[in-house]
Amino acid sequence: MFGYIAAALAALTVASSLLAWNQNSKLESTRAKISKLHEALGKEGQSRRGFESSAKQCSASVDLLKMEADAARKAAKDALAQARTASRSVEHRVQAILSEKRPVGLEECTNAKRIADQAITDRSAAPFR
């Protein structure tokens, strides 16, 4: 009877050793997978940080471009206002010239030449704008 018990114990010992070896193999495999996952997680974190940095740089560039566009828009608006003011001034001057009565005895062409000469003289005497 001790022989059967000893054989049973030996069989149980062999079976438990095989089971332990199998479980140890699975444990090593799982540890390897965990190690690979940690590496992938580290790479993902590094990639995410790089992406966040790039996104911040892009946002800063977009904000700078918006500020430059706003400044350019304001400068264009100011230039347009100045051009309109100058245009109105020229229109008023043209109307004033056209509404002047020509001196008696002058032909229309002679009067136009006199007005043009006067405008050129006035323009050359005035400082450059």
Side-chain angles (χ1 to χ4, degrees):
M1 180 154 164
F2 285 115
Y4 291 119
I5 293 175
L9 283 176
L12 284 174
T13 304
V14 170
S16 64
S17 294
L18 288 175
L19 184 61
W21 177 78
N22 186 22
Q23 292 301 319
N24 192 26
S25 173
K26 287 181 180 179
L27 181 62
E28 289 301 317
S29 174
T30 302
R31 284 183 180 157
K33 287 179 183 177
I34 289 172
S35 176
K36 287 181 182 178
L37 288 174
H38 280 293
E39 286 179 27
L41 184 61
K43 288 179 183 177
E44 186 276 332
Q46 187 178 15
S47 177
R48 182 179 42 81
R49 286 188 294 277
F51 174 76
E52 287 173 350
S53 174
S54 295
K56 285 179 184 177
Q57 288 176 350
C58 286
S59 285
S61 295
V62 167
D63 290 342
L64 181 62
L65 287 173
K66 283 181 182 177
M67 288 175 23
E68 289 174 356
D70 289 344
R73 188 179 301 118
K74 185 181 181 320
K77 190 176 180 181
D78 292 345
L80 179 63
Q82 288 177 349
R84 284 183 177 158
T85 301
S87 175
R88 285 188 200 109
S89 174
V90 169
E91 287 174 4
H92 290 299
R93 179 71 181 128
V94 167
Q95 288 301 320
I97 290 172
L98 292 177
S99 66
E100 284 181 8
K101 292 187 178 185
R102 69 173 186 247
V104 177
L106 277 180
E107 295 180 10
E108 195 169 326
C109 289
T110 308
N111 189 44
K113 182 180 178 310
R114 181 187 62 80
I115 291 171
D117 288 342
Q118 182 183 0
I120 290 170
T121 305
D122 291 348
R123 184 62 131 171
S124 63
F128 182 73
R129 293 182 240 175

